[in-house]
Amino acid sequence: MTNPILELHDICYSYHSLEGETDALSHISFQVKKGEFLAIVGPSGCGKSTLLSIISGLLLPESGEICFPVPQGEESDKHPMAGGCPRIGYMLQHDHLFEWRTIYRNVILGLEINRQLTEGKKQRVMELLKDYGLDKFKDKKPGELSGGMKQRAALIRTLALDPEILLLDEPFSALDYQTRLSVSSDICGIIRSAKKTAILVTHDLSEAISLADRILVLSKRPATIKCDIPIRLTISGHSPLASRNAPEYQGYFNQLWKEISDEDHIQTAKIIQPDAE
Ligand code: ADP
Ligand code: MG
């Protein structure tokens, strides 16, 4: 891993509505290196999705700056985000596939909208469908596929645009637990083999530890960075299922649990598990 591909400096953001002001992000600063897999965890409603929307350029920060440093050897040091540069792929909790389009036509939708549907890109999409086991389903409608297959199709639609940074906002939370384990493992493998930089928002601590190189823990709203934990597991490869058996896994889990638990959570845990000693 080399230079940062993304830098956030002192980002603040509040929502303004007729009911008043909601402070969502407070003085957030961090960097992401090229090829890094970063997970972001934090309490519900703390500002995680807001942070991804700011990185994607859908929302503009009220103060602070986002930079995408240009590779070494090029002229200027940094350029503030402008015009959606670099290419960012954004994958949401729900697959948002259109039922009236086949899987193939769903997967090429982004390319169509961006007027990039060249013969080369069509070929690339077919390769991705084949690599990820969906080529036989390309003429099916989303309703004919399992939840995991639909999520894979949504990822291929995002990858078809060849993003440099992938933003994943709780992409597995609509799946049942077993499917979630295998799909997250699957999708993590795809992202790693494509050598993409990825930022994953999740509320599942095990998922964060088993998938990420590094975890940012956010505080309650307005979100600040509580801690930044590099994950080093002594286990070969990056299989998320195998990672859960790494000797360091439980230590990281306890550390994260301690960071995100406030007094109320601890109280609740004690009430739920009265015999847990
Ligand atoms: P998270 O993804 O961590 O659950 P969000 O980033 O979605 O949290 O939201 C952070 C806070 O901002 C929440 O309190 C939410 O209710 C509020 N919020 C989100 N979107 C809007 C909006 N469009 N207008 C007003 N408040 C919003
Ligand atoms: Mg959210």
Side-chain angles (χ1 to χ4, degrees):
M1 267 173 239
T2 51
N3 306 323
I5 190 172
L6 166 66
E7 292 180 5
L8 279 78
H9 298 283
D10 215 20
I11 298 288
C12 296
Y13 189 84
S14 305
Y15 290 98
H16 301 273
S17 67
L18 288 176
E19 288 78 44
E21 194 175 291
T22 307
D23 292 334
L25 304 175
S26 173
H27 304 284
I28 300 274
S29 300
F30 65 91
Q31 297 186 344
V32 183
K33 288 178 182 159
K34 194 165 163 37
E36 196 171 27
F37 198 125
L38 177 76
I40 298 179
V41 300
S44 178
C46 75
K48 302 182 291 298
S49 298
T50 306
L51 184 55
L52 289 195
S53 295
I54 284 190
I55 294 171
S56 73
L58 289 174
L59 293 175
L60 288 176
E62 278 186 331
S63 60
E65 197 183 16
I66 299 192
C67 293
F68 297 96
V70 291
Q72 268 178 349
E74 293 185 20
E75 272 178 19
S76 74
D77 271 338
K78 294 171 182 181
H79 54 95
M81 181 157 69
C85 169
R87 293 186 303 278
I88 291 183
Y90 201 165
M91 190 171 153
L92 303 167
Q93 183 171 354
H94 297 286
D95 52 62
H96 294 294
L97 298 173
F98 292 117
E99 194 51 46
W100 65 88
R101 288 189 150 226
T102 62
I103 290 300
Y104 176 74
R105 296 200 59 232
N106 265 289
V107 163
I108 61 168
L109 183 63
L111 291 169
E112 250 176 45
I113 291 171
N114 286 285
R115 297 173 198 274
Q116 293 176 8
L117 195 58
T118 58
E119 282 310 310
K121 296 276 186 184
K122 284 185 194 169
Q123 208 176 328
R124 172 85 185 115
V125 163
M126 285 309 298
E127 280 168 18
L128 287 168
L129 286 167
K130 193 155 186 283
D131 286 353
Y132 307 133
L134 289 179
D135 52 330
K136 294 194 176 66
F137 299 88
K138 73 181 177 52
D139 299 320
K140 302 270 187 216
K141 294 285 174 57
E144 297 174 84
L145 270 63
S146 68
M149 288 164 112
K150 285 193 279 191
Q151 216 48 6
R152 249 185 286 160
L155 180 68
I156 293 172
R157 181 182 54 193
T158 311
L159 288 177
L161 288 160
D162 198 20
E164 286 153 275
I165 303 177
L166 263 172
L167 306 178
L168 305 149
D169 196 352
E170 309 217 28
F172 315 122
S173 55
L175 304 174
D176 65 77
Y177 184 68
Q178 257 174 323
T179 312
R180 182 183 179 123
L181 277 182
S182 67
V183 172
S184 62
S185 170
D186 218 22
I187 284 188
C188 175
I190 295 171
I191 292 170
R192 288 206 186 269
S193 65
K195 296 194 169 60
K196 297 290 179 194
T197 307
I199 304 179
L200 167 76
V201 161
T202 177
H203 60 260
D204 183 331
L205 302 185
S206 307
E207 192 169 276
I209 301 165
S210 59
L211 297 181
D213 299 313
R214 196 177 131 214
I215 301 178
L216 286 186
V217 181
L218 301 186
S219 69
K220 281 199 268 189
R221 191 178 64 75
T224 55
I225 295 180
K226 272 194 94 176
C227 56
D228 185 338
I229 306 172
I231 302 295
R232 304 275 177 270
L233 300 174
T234 51
I235 204 146
S236 57
H238 277 292
S239 154
L241 281 173
S243 301
R244 294 174 194 234
N245 293 321
E248 302 82 3
Y249 173 87
Q250 195 60 43
Y252 284 127
F253 189 94
N254 293 343
Q255 185 183 359
L256 284 166
W257 174 250
K258 190 164 166 288
E259 292 293 347
I260 66 161
S261 297
D262 56 22
E263 292 304 312
D264 290 341
H265 286 121
I266 292 164
Q267 206 65 36
T268 314
K270 279 184 182 155
I271 292 165
I272 292 171
Q273 302 176 322
D275 306 322
E277 279 155 274

